[in-house]
Amino acid sequence: NCASLPENLLESELFGHEKGAFTGAVAARRGRFEAADGGTLFLDEVGEISPAFQAKLLRVLQEGELERVGGSRTLKVDVRVIAATHRNLEAAVDSGDFREDLYYRLNVMPIVLPPLRERPEDVPEIARFLVNRIGEMQGRRLSLTDAGLRRLSQYNWPGNVRELENCLERAAVMSETGSIEADLIHIDRQRETGVPRRVL
């Protein structure tokens, strides 16, 4: 998750570091690109990286080369990158917040994943999957009533699948019997906006 780490830690996480590169670097460490050599690496929230780090990422994507933090040796990697963002990268390129050359390197095969509010027919199946997963985490059998499913299907889900999961977790905690009824499902009908997610 590119948004969850500050730039210096993100660089170490993706490119690795050499022993002594910074305080706490007591041993050399391979980064995610090295670990994924010959495979695939998923970069979530790639639209949140800084302009300085965009240039470093572009080099890896364009040339297949990187250097560990604190290192001088150039390493070659062959990695397929799948990247996702909720930001409109075309607008970010136009405003100068995202490098155009990096955008085109990432945007080879774009897939736009419509938000949940644009595919209400998927809500029941996703909700049942989440209820089963939540039940496994809680160590008990959970079920979702038809009335509960109808209530979920009538909502717009601006927070997308994460909001749905949060809603179901709360309802599961409130359910004494393990049956999630409509009255246990609390949703915020004031929220009506959301941004589609893009996978590049």
Side-chain angles (χ1 to χ4, degrees):
N1 185 341
C2 297
S4 68
L5 296 172
E7 184 179 332
N8 57 342
L9 290 180
L10 181 62
E11 184 174 0
S12 173
E13 183 70 24
L14 292 181
F15 301 156
H17 61 258
E18 297 294 351
K19 180 178 179 179
F22 50 83
T23 304
V26 295
R29 181 178 168 279
R30 291 189 327 155
R32 300 285 175 132
F33 272 98
E34 278 184 83
D37 190 23
T40 303
L41 182 64
F42 176 60
L43 300 177
D44 197 9
E45 299 299 355
V46 75
E48 303 302 316
I49 61 177
S50 71
F53 192 75
Q54 289 174 29
K56 295 174 182 178
L57 181 58
L58 176 64
R59 179 184 178 209
V60 179
L61 297 179
Q62 187 70 39
E63 308 297 333
E65 296 179 347
L66 63 87
E67 292 171 4
R68 290 180 181 169
V69 175
S72 57
R73 186 167 55 104
T74 299
L75 304 170
K76 294 288 284 182
V77 291
D78 178 18
V79 177
R80 176 192 301 118
V81 172
I82 299 173
T85 183
H86 71 282
R87 291 185 65 195
N88 182 333
L89 291 188
E90 294 93 340
V93 167
D94 291 343
S95 66
D97 294 328
F98 200 85
R99 291 180 64 114
E100 186 174 19
D101 46 6
L102 177 57
Y103 169 75
Y104 287 115
R105 288 301 301 150
L106 290 171
N107 199 32
V108 174
M109 180 61 68
I111 303 169
V112 177
L113 299 178
L116 199 52
R117 69 181 174 279
E118 291 179 12
R119 48 193 173 107
E121 67 280 0
D122 291 346
V123 170
E125 186 174 347
I126 294 171
R128 286 188 195 100
F129 169 80
L130 292 172
V131 164
N132 288 336
R133 191 167 76 176
I134 293 165
E136 288 175 10
M137 291 186 324
Q138 292 184 358
R140 65 182 184 144
R141 184 170 162 73
L142 293 174
S143 63
L144 187 56
T145 66
D146 290 342
L149 270 176
R150 278 193 302 276
R151 184 170 174 86
L152 293 173
S153 297
Q154 292 166 354
Y155 183 57
N156 215 10
W157 299 111
N160 224 336
V161 176
R162 288 186 181 125
E163 183 182 5
L164 173 60
E165 183 174 21
N166 176 273
C167 176
L168 290 169
E169 281 185 44
R170 185 181 318 119
V173 168
M174 300 299 291
S175 174
E176 294 179 12
T177 65
S179 178
I180 299 177
E181 304 281 350
D183 63 342
L184 294 177
I185 296 171
H186 299 286
I187 49 184
D188 184 0
R189 297 205 172 269
Q190 302 294 318
R191 303 179 65 228
E192 294 294 335
T193 60
V195 181
R197 185 167 184 73
R198 301 174 74 81
V199 179
L200 305 174

